[in-house]
PDB file of all heavy atoms in Angstrom:
ATOM      1  N   GLU A   1     122.623 186.150  53.577  1.00  0.00           N
ATOM      2  CA  GLU A   1     122.444 186.724  54.903  1.00  0.00           C
ATOM      3  C   GLU A   1     121.137 187.503  54.994  1.00  0.00           C
ATOM      4  O   GLU A   1     120.462 187.503  56.017  1.00  0.00           O
ATOM      5  CB  GLU A   1     123.630 187.657  55.205  1.00  0.00           C
ATOM      6  CG  GLU A   1     123.915 187.835  56.673  1.00  0.00           C
ATOM      7  CD  GLU A   1     125.203 188.575  56.865  1.00  0.00           C
ATOM      8  OE1 GLU A   1     125.177 189.805  56.897  1.00  0.00           O
ATOM      9  OE2 GLU A   1     126.249 187.920  56.955  1.00  0.00           O
ATOM     10  N   ASN A   2     120.753 188.181  53.911  1.00  0.00           N
ATOM     11  CA  ASN A   2     119.563 189.024  53.940  1.00  0.00           C
ATOM     12  C   ASN A   2     118.328 188.341  53.366  1.00  0.00           C
ATOM     13  O   ASN A   2     117.328 188.985  53.093  1.00  0.00           O
ATOM     14  CB  ASN A   2     119.822 190.322  53.165  1.00  0.00           C
ATOM     15  CG  ASN A   2     120.910 191.145  53.819  1.00  0.00           C
ATOM     16  OD1 ASN A   2     120.976 191.209  55.032  1.00  0.00           O
ATOM     17  ND2 ASN A   2     121.780 191.742  53.015  1.00  0.00           N
ATOM     18  N   ALA A   3     118.419 187.030  53.146  1.00  0.00           N
ATOM     19  CA  ALA A   3     117.261 186.329  52.594  1.00  0.00           C
ATOM     20  C   ALA A   3     116.117 186.347  53.598  1.00  0.00           C
ATOM     21  O   ALA A   3     116.323 186.341  54.800  1.00  0.00           O
ATOM     22  CB  ALA A   3     117.632 184.878  52.277  1.00  0.00           C
ATOM     23  N   SER A   4     114.908 186.389  53.086  1.00  0.00           N
ATOM     24  CA  SER A   4     113.738 186.419  53.963  1.00  0.00           C
ATOM     25  C   SER A   4     113.607 185.079  54.676  1.00  0.00           C
ATOM     26  O   SER A   4     113.719 184.024  54.050  1.00  0.00           O
ATOM     27  CB  SER A   4     112.474 186.684  53.146  1.00  0.00           C
ATOM     28  OG  SER A   4     112.564 187.929  52.517  1.00  0.00           O
ATOM     29  N   PRO A   5     113.370 185.095  55.993  1.00  0.00           N
ATOM     30  CA  PRO A   5     113.210 183.829  56.707  1.00  0.00           C
ATOM     31  C   PRO A   5     111.913 183.167  56.295  1.00  0.00           C
ATOM     32  O   PRO A   5     110.936 183.830  55.963  1.00  0.00           O
ATOM     33  CB  PRO A   5     113.151 184.267  58.179  1.00  0.00           C
ATOM     34  CG  PRO A   5     112.643 185.672  58.135  1.00  0.00           C
ATOM     35  CD  PRO A   5     113.191 186.257  56.866  1.00  0.00           C
ATOM     36  N   ARG A   6     111.897 181.825  56.352  1.00  0.00           N
ATOM     37  CA  ARG A   6     110.674 181.139  55.990  1.00  0.00           C
ATOM     38  C   ARG A   6     109.648 181.376  57.098  1.00  0.00           C
ATOM     39  O   ARG A   6     109.984 181.564  58.255  1.00  0.00           O
ATOM     40  CB  ARG A   6     110.935 179.649  55.799  1.00  0.00           C
ATOM     41  CG  ARG A   6     111.347 178.891  57.039  1.00  0.00           C
ATOM     42  CD  ARG A   6     111.714 177.462  56.681  1.00  0.00           C
ATOM     43  NE  ARG A   6     112.093 176.699  57.845  1.00  0.00           N
ATOM     44  CZ  ARG A   6     111.246 176.018  58.605  1.00  0.00           C
ATOM     45  NH1 ARG A   6     109.960 176.051  58.329  1.00  0.00           N
ATOM     46  NH2 ARG A   6     111.685 175.327  59.637  1.00  0.00           N
ATOM     47  N   SER A   7     108.398 181.376  56.728  1.00  0.00           N
ATOM     48  CA  SER A   7     107.346 181.654  57.698  1.00  0.00           C
ATOM     49  C   SER A   7     107.287 180.547  58.740  1.00  0.00           C
ATOM     50  O   SER A   7     107.574 179.382  58.459  1.00  0.00           O
ATOM     51  CB  SER A   7     105.999 181.773  56.987  1.00  0.00           C
ATOM     52  OG  SER A   7     105.706 180.570  56.304  1.00  0.00           O
ATOM     53  N   LEU A   8     106.919 180.920  59.966  1.00  0.00           N
ATOM     54  CA  LEU A   8     106.839 179.943  61.042  1.00  0.00           C
ATOM     55  C   LEU A   8     105.617 179.057  60.853  1.00  0.00           C
ATOM     56  O   LEU A   8     104.568 179.511  60.389  1.00  0.00           O
ATOM     57  CB  LEU A   8     106.751 180.676  62.387  1.00  0.00           C
ATOM     58  CG  LEU A   8     107.979 181.499  62.783  1.00  0.00           C
ATOM     59  CD1 LEU A   8     107.701 182.274  64.048  1.00  0.00           C
ATOM     60  CD2 LEU A   8     109.194 180.594  62.959  1.00  0.00           C
ATOM     61  N   PRO A   9     105.722 177.777  61.223  1.00  0.00           N
ATOM     62  CA  PRO A   9     104.571 176.878  61.088  1.00  0.00           C
ATOM     63  C   PRO A   9     103.439 177.305  62.008  1.00  0.00           C
ATOM     64  O   PRO A   9     103.668 177.834  63.102  1.00  0.00           O
ATOM     65  CB  PRO A   9     105.131 175.514  61.490  1.00  0.00           C
ATOM     66  CG  PRO A   9     106.330 175.816  62.322  1.00  0.00           C
ATOM     67  CD  PRO A   9     106.904 177.083  61.777  1.00  0.00           C
ATOM     68  N   THR A  10     102.214 177.071  61.562  1.00  0.00           N
ATOM     69  CA  THR A  10     101.026 177.428  62.329  1.00  0.00           C
ATOM     70  C   THR A  10     100.340 176.168  62.846  1.00  0.00           C
ATOM     71  O   THR A  10     100.732 175.035  62.512  1.00  0.00           O
ATOM     72  CB  THR A  10     100.036 178.196  61.436  1.00  0.00           C
ATOM     73  OG1 THR A  10      99.581 177.313  60.395  1.00  0.00           O
ATOM     74  CG2 THR A  10     100.700 179.419  60.807  1.00  0.00           C
ATOM     75  N   ILE A  11      99.302 176.378  63.659  1.00  0.00           N
ATOM     76  CA  ILE A  11      98.517 175.240  64.143  1.00  0.00           C
ATOM     77  C   ILE A  11      97.909 174.478  62.970  1.00  0.00           C
ATOM     78  O   ILE A  11      97.842 173.241  62.977  1.00  0.00           O
ATOM     79  CB  ILE A  11      97.426 175.733  65.116  1.00  0.00           C
ATOM     80  CG1 ILE A  11      98.038 176.033  66.483  1.00  0.00           C
ATOM     81  CG2 ILE A  11      96.307 174.698  65.265  1.00  0.00           C
ATOM     82  CD1 ILE A  11      97.053 176.504  67.527  1.00  0.00           C
ATOM     83  N   SER A  12      97.483 175.209  61.934  1.00  0.00           N
ATOM     84  CA  SER A  12      96.909 174.547  60.747  1.00  0.00           C
ATOM     85  C   SER A  12      97.933 173.663  60.066  1.00  0.00           C
ATOM     86  O   SER A  12      97.613 172.552  59.598  1.00  0.00           O
ATOM     87  CB  SER A  12      96.389 175.603  59.765  1.00  0.00           C
ATOM     88  OG  SER A  12      95.320 176.320  60.337  1.00  0.00           O
ATOM     89  N   ASP A  13      99.215 174.123  60.014  1.00  0.00           N
ATOM     90  CA  ASP A  13     100.278 173.310  59.415  1.00  0.00           C
ATOM     91  C   ASP A  13     100.468 172.012  60.205  1.00  0.00           C
ATOM     92  O   ASP A  13     100.632 170.927  59.631  1.00  0.00           O
ATOM     93  CB  ASP A  13     101.593 174.093  59.387  1.00  0.00           C
ATOM     94  CG  ASP A  13     101.535 175.297  58.468  1.00  0.00           C
ATOM     95  OD1 ASP A  13     100.783 175.234  57.472  1.00  0.00           O
ATOM     96  OD2 ASP A  13     102.231 176.285  58.750  1.00  0.00           O
ATOM     97  N   VAL A  14     100.462 172.159  61.539  1.00  0.00           N
ATOM     98  CA  VAL A  14     100.623 170.978  62.388  1.00  0.00           C
ATOM     99  C   VAL A  14      99.458 170.018  62.183  1.00  0.00           C
ATOM    100  O   VAL A  14      99.641 168.793  62.082  1.00  0.00           O
ATOM    101  CB  VAL A  14     100.724 171.389  63.881  1.00  0.00           C
ATOM    102  CG1 VAL A  14     100.751 170.146  64.780  1.00  0.00           C
ATOM    103  CG2 VAL A  14     101.967 172.235  64.110  1.00  0.00           C
ATOM    104  N   ALA A  15      98.237 170.569  62.096  1.00  0.00           N
ATOM    105  CA  ALA A  15      97.052 169.728  61.901  1.00  0.00           C
ATOM    106  C   ALA A  15      97.134 168.952  60.596  1.00  0.00           C
ATOM    107  O   ALA A  15      96.836 167.741  60.553  1.00  0.00           O
ATOM    108  CB  ALA A  15      95.794 170.603  61.934  1.00  0.00           C
ATOM    109  N   ARG A  16      97.545 169.642  59.504  1.00  0.00           N
ATOM    110  CA  ARG A  16      97.675 168.957  58.210  1.00  0.00           C
ATOM    111  C   ARG A  16      98.726 167.859  58.273  1.00  0.00           C
ATOM    112  O   ARG A  16      98.544 166.760  57.757  1.00  0.00           O
ATOM    113  CB  ARG A  16      98.018 169.971  57.118  1.00  0.00           C
ATOM    114  CG  ARG A  16      96.812 170.757  56.599  1.00  0.00           C
ATOM    115  CD  ARG A  16      97.155 171.501  55.321  1.00  0.00           C
ATOM    116  NE  ARG A  16      98.151 172.538  55.553  1.00  0.00           N
ATOM    117  CZ  ARG A  16      97.848 173.794  55.903  1.00  0.00           C
ATOM    118  NH1 ARG A  16      96.576 174.140  56.068  1.00  0.00           N
ATOM    119  NH2 ARG A  16      98.793 174.680  56.084  1.00  0.00           N
ATOM    120  N   HIS A  17      99.861 168.168  58.907  1.00  0.00           N
ATOM    121  CA  HIS A  17     100.958 167.211  59.009  1.00  0.00           C
ATOM    122  C   HIS A  17     100.525 165.972  59.805  1.00  0.00           C
ATOM    123  O   HIS A  17     100.877 164.829  59.467  1.00  0.00           O
ATOM    124  CB  HIS A  17     102.169 167.875  59.669  1.00  0.00           C
ATOM    125  CG  HIS A  17     103.423 167.057  59.627  1.00  0.00           C
ATOM    126  ND1 HIS A  17     103.692 166.076  60.566  1.00  0.00           N
ATOM    127  CD2 HIS A  17     104.475 167.064  58.764  1.00  0.00           C
ATOM    128  CE1 HIS A  17     104.868 165.530  60.292  1.00  0.00           C
ATOM    129  NE2 HIS A  17     105.363 166.104  59.187  1.00  0.00           N
ATOM    130  N   ALA A  18      99.757 166.180  60.863  1.00  0.00           N
ATOM    131  CA  ALA A  18      99.342 165.069  61.724  1.00  0.00           C
ATOM    132  C   ALA A  18      98.070 164.390  61.226  1.00  0.00           C
ATOM    133  O   ALA A  18      97.713 163.301  61.707  1.00  0.00           O
ATOM    134  CB  ALA A  18      99.123 165.581  63.147  1.00  0.00           C
ATOM    135  N   GLY A  19      97.374 165.038  60.286  1.00  0.00           N
ATOM    136  CA  GLY A  19      96.129 164.459  59.788  1.00  0.00           C
ATOM    137  C   GLY A  19      94.994 164.551  60.775  1.00  0.00           C
ATOM    138  O   GLY A  19      94.162 163.637  60.879  1.00  0.00           O
ATOM    139  N   VAL A  20      94.986 165.662  61.550  1.00  0.00           N
ATOM    140  CA  VAL A  20      93.915 165.854  62.537  1.00  0.00           C
ATOM    141  C   VAL A  20      93.351 167.263  62.357  1.00  0.00           C
ATOM    142  O   VAL A  20      93.818 168.048  61.526  1.00  0.00           O
ATOM    143  CB  VAL A  20      94.455 165.694  63.981  1.00  0.00           C
ATOM    144  CG1 VAL A  20      95.011 164.287  64.185  1.00  0.00           C
ATOM    145  CG2 VAL A  20      95.520 166.741  64.286  1.00  0.00           C
ATOM    146  N   SER A  21      92.368 167.602  63.150  1.00  0.00           N
ATOM    147  CA  SER A  21      91.784 168.940  63.065  1.00  0.00           C
ATOM    148  C   SER A  21      92.598 169.943  63.885  1.00  0.00           C
ATOM    149  O   SER A  21      93.274 169.557  64.851  1.00  0.00           O
ATOM    150  CB  SER A  21      90.347 168.920  63.592  1.00  0.00           C
ATOM    151  OG  SER A  21      90.343 168.735  64.998  1.00  0.00           O
ATOM    152  N   PRO A  22      92.552 171.236  63.522  1.00  0.00           N
ATOM    153  CA  PRO A  22      93.222 172.265  64.332  1.00  0.00           C
ATOM    154  C   PRO A  22      92.751 172.256  65.784  1.00  0.00           C
ATOM    155  O   PRO A  22      93.541 172.530  66.693  1.00  0.00           O
ATOM    156  CB  PRO A  22      92.844 173.572  63.628  1.00  0.00           C
ATOM    157  CG  PRO A  22      92.616 173.169  62.198  1.00  0.00           C
ATOM    158  CD  PRO A  22      91.981 171.813  62.280  1.00  0.00           C
ATOM    159  N   MET A  23      91.464 171.930  66.029  1.00  0.00           N
ATOM    160  CA  MET A  23      90.949 171.874  67.393  1.00  0.00           C
ATOM    161  C   MET A  23      91.670 170.808  68.203  1.00  0.00           C
ATOM    162  O   MET A  23      92.001 171.006  69.384  1.00  0.00           O
ATOM    163  CB  MET A  23      89.446 171.583  67.375  1.00  0.00           C
ATOM    164  CG  MET A  23      88.818 171.508  68.771  1.00  0.00           C
ATOM    165  SD  MET A  23      88.960 173.065  69.681  1.00  0.00           S
ATOM    166  CE  MET A  23      87.749 174.043  68.780  1.00  0.00           C
ATOM    167  N   THR A  24      91.948 169.668  67.578  1.00  0.00           N
ATOM    168  CA  THR A  24      92.674 168.602  68.273  1.00  0.00           C
ATOM    169  C   THR A  24      94.078 169.060  68.639  1.00  0.00           C
ATOM    170  O   THR A  24      94.576 168.795  69.744  1.00  0.00           O
ATOM    171  CB  THR A  24      92.739 167.340  67.398  1.00  0.00           C
ATOM    172  OG1 THR A  24      91.416 166.888  67.137  1.00  0.00           O
ATOM    173  CG2 THR A  24      93.532 166.240  68.077  1.00  0.00           C
ATOM    174  N   VAL A  25      94.739 169.774  67.724  1.00  0.00           N
ATOM    175  CA  VAL A  25      96.083 170.303  68.011  1.00  0.00           C
ATOM    176  C   VAL A  25      96.021 171.253  69.200  1.00  0.00           C
ATOM    177  O   VAL A  25      96.850 171.190  70.118  1.00  0.00           O
ATOM    178  CB  VAL A  25      96.659 171.018  66.771  1.00  0.00           C
ATOM    179  CG1 VAL A  25      97.999 171.661  67.123  1.00  0.00           C
ATOM    180  CG2 VAL A  25      96.829 170.043  65.617  1.00  0.00           C
TER     181      VAL A  25
END
């Protein structure tokens, strides 16, 4: 119950996942 939540994804995470630049995101 008291475990630290995982960090929220960022624009950089989305860019890496999609294989594009952060500007495109």
Side-chain angles (χ1 to χ4, degrees):
E1 206 171 88
N2 296 321
S4 298
R6 66 186 181 89
S7 59
L8 295 174
T10 65
I11 282 181
S12 295
D13 294 330
V14 174
R16 280 193 295 271
H17 189 276
V20 299
S21 70
M23 180 62 73
T24 299
V25 175

